[in-house]
């Protein structure tokens, strides 16, 4: 169930942006406050663990928010598609996990081109040996 909250309620509660639909926002700063609070909450949850946050950028597809997540302690961001990774890397995000299998040979070629850029780290999920072989060629 989705909670509908005002910015004041979100500030005074533990409701994160992923659980809330913001209504009656007085300004963009109210929304940014909630986003920042949610990013900080993830860092607090993982601070004393071995987990290293790499949040999904698919939900916002915004390099500025990805940068904010990294500034607040994320090691990088996740995305689903090579095209999303291209946009994030072109915007200066250097640590990307594509949390999806990339099996199309043209997309693999684009992916390896991205990974060869200086200072860029691109990881991808695999579930078949053939995919590992194609990615390593």
């Amino acid at each position: 169930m989705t909670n509908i909250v005002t910015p004041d309620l979100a500030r005074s509660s533990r409701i994160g942006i992923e659980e809330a639909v913001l209504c009656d926002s007085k300004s963009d700063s109210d929304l940014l406050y909630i986003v920042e609070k949610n990013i900080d909450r993830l860092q607090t949850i993982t601070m004393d663990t071995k987990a290293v946050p790499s949040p999904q950028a698919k939900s916002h597809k915004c390099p500025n928010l990805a940068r904010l997540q990294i500034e607040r302690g994320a090691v990088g961001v996740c995305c689903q598609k090579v095209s999303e990774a291209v946009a994030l890397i072109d915007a200066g995000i250097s640590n990307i996990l594509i949390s999806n299998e990339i099996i199309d040979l043209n997309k693999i070629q684009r992916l390896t081109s991205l990974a060869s850029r200086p200072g860029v780290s691109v990881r991808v999920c695999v579930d078949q040996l053939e995919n590992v072989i194609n990615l390593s060629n």
Side-chain angles (χ1 to χ4, degrees), residues 63 76 88 102 108 110 114 125:
L88 289 166
I102 306 299
I108 289 174
R110 287 178 65 200
L114 283 177
C125 295

Side-chain angles (χ1 to χ4, degrees), residues 38-59:
N38 198 50
I39 291 169
D40 291 342
R41 188 169 131 205
L42 174 63
Q43 294 310 125
T44 299
I45 290 168
T46 59
M47 187 178 347
D48 295 325
T49 71
K50 292 182 182 182
V52 285
S54 188
Q56 186 61 259
K58 179 182 178 178
S59 59

Side-chain angles (χ1 to χ4, degrees), residues 34-92:
I34 293 169
V35 169
E36 288 176 332
K37 185 173 177 120
N38 198 50
I39 291 169
D40 291 342
R41 188 169 131 205
L42 174 63
Q43 294 310 125
T44 299
I45 290 168
T46 59
M47 187 178 347
D48 295 325
T49 71
K50 292 182 182 182
V52 285
S54 188
Q56 186 61 259
K58 179 182 178 178
S59 59
H60 55 70
K61 295 186 182 184
C62 176
N64 288 336
L65 284 179
R67 216 172 278 108
L68 181 61
Q69 289 172 311
I70 293 166
E71 288 170 4
R72 300 279 176 110
V75 297
V77 294
C78 297
C79 60
Q80 290 294 107
K81 304 184 320 186
V82 174
S83 60
E84 293 169 350
V86 169
L88 289 166
I89 290 169
D90 285 347

Side-chain angles (χ1 to χ4, degrees), residues 118-131:
V120 170
S121 173
V122 179
R123 295 164 290 139
V124 64
C125 295
V126 296
D127 66 356
Q128 295 180 19
L129 179 58
E130 182 180 352
N131 193 208

